[in-house]
Amino acid sequence: MALRELRIDGDPILRKKSREVENITDRIRVTLDDMLETMYHTDGVGLAGPQIGVLRRIIVVDDREEDGPGPLKMINPVILNREGSCLDIEGCLSVPNRTGMVERPESLTVEYLDENGEEKSIEAEGLLARIICHEVDHLDGILYVDIMEEEIFPEEGED
Ligand code: ZN
C-alpha cells in the first residue's frame, strides 16, 4: 500500500464528476487500499477517488465507532431511502482548516459493489450516514462548503 497525495480545494479535479467503475481490476483494488491508508494517515473518516486525483466512483469509509462496521470500500455507491434530517459539524481533508454545519439525512441505505464485485446494501445512520453522503457528493464534484448552512470558526485561543 502507498500514501497518495491529497488534492486540495482549488484543484479543478475536485469539481469533476467521477465515472462508474465497469471492471473491478487489481488497479482499482490497490487504489482502494491506498485510499484507506491515506485516510488513516491523515486521521480522516472517509475519502473519495477525486481527492487523490482518481475520477472513478469509489469511496472508503470508517466511522471509527466501536459498534461501527469498520473499514468499508465502496464501488459505485448509490444512496437510497434518505430519511430524516440532522444538522452537524463537518470538515474535509481537501478543505483544510475549515469546518461548517451541514444538513444530512438521519438515516439512509447505500448500495454498492465490494472489491470482489459482490452487490452489498447497508443501512447507515448518524455519523456513518453523514460520511457516506459527504463522500458520494465528492463523486459529483460537490464539496461540503458548497452546501453548508454556516461556517464554524474556532474559538479564540484554540487553533
Ligand atoms: Zn471531503
Side-chain angles (χ1 to χ4, degrees), residues 14 46-48 51 90-95 104 131 134-135 137-138 142-144:
L14 290 171
L47 198 68
Q51 293 183 275
E90 238 169 81
C92 178
L93 295 174
S94 293
V95 189
R104 300 287 189 187
I131 301 167
H134 177 117
E135 301 313 329
D137 275 354
H138 273 299
I142 298 165
L143 300 178
Y144 85 87

Side-chain angles (χ1 to χ4, degrees), residues 3-157:
L3 292 177
R4 302 284 189 105
E5 194 184 336
L6 278 175
R7 303 301 183 103
I8 301 300
D9 189 18
D11 188 323
I13 209 160
L14 290 171
R15 295 311 191 163
K16 296 194 169 145
K17 210 170 150 71
S18 294
R19 283 185 299 127
E20 284 208 347
V21 174
E22 277 156 28
N23 298 304
I24 302 170
T25 58
D26 282 344
R27 189 182 171 130
I28 291 286
R29 282 186 271 267
V30 167
T31 302
L32 285 163
D33 286 340
D34 287 353
M35 285 167 65
L36 268 183
E37 189 180 354
T38 304
M39 182 191 85
Y40 289 127
H41 182 77
T42 49
D43 210 23
V45 289
L47 198 68
Q51 293 183 275
I52 58 157
V54 176
L55 286 172
R56 309 307 298 270
R57 300 190 80 82
I58 50 176
I59 66 173
V60 294
V61 170
D62 186 348
D63 67 3
R64 321 276 189 109
E65 301 281 337
E66 217 156 276
D67 55 354
L72 293 168
K73 304 173 196 174
M74 298 185 181
I75 298 167
N76 301 338
V78 175
I79 295 172
L80 306 164
N81 308 325
R82 296 166 187 259
E83 274 183 38
S85 155
C86 175
L87 195 62
D88 208 342
I89 196 163
E90 238 169 81
C92 178
L93 295 174
S94 293
V95 189
N97 307 317
R98 291 179 70 183
T99 51
M101 298 299 282
V102 184
E103 190 178 350
R104 300 287 189 187
E106 182 59 47
S107 68
L108 54 79
T109 303
V110 59
E111 291 183 352
Y112 61 97
L113 299 175
D114 72 8
E115 60 187 329
N116 301 312
E118 226 169 285
E119 288 180 23
K120 300 272 184 177
S121 173
I122 59 166
E123 283 167 30
E125 58 181 36
L127 177 62
L128 186 60
R130 175 169 298 276
I131 301 167
I132 291 167
C133 289
H134 177 117
E135 301 313 329
V136 170
D137 275 354
H138 273 299
L139 304 181
D140 294 318
I142 298 165
L143 300 178
Y144 85 87
V145 286
D146 304 340
I147 56 168
M148 67 182 174
E149 307 257 318
E150 60 170 322
E151 183 141 12
I152 303 294
F153 295 97
E155 304 276 329
E156 281 294 300

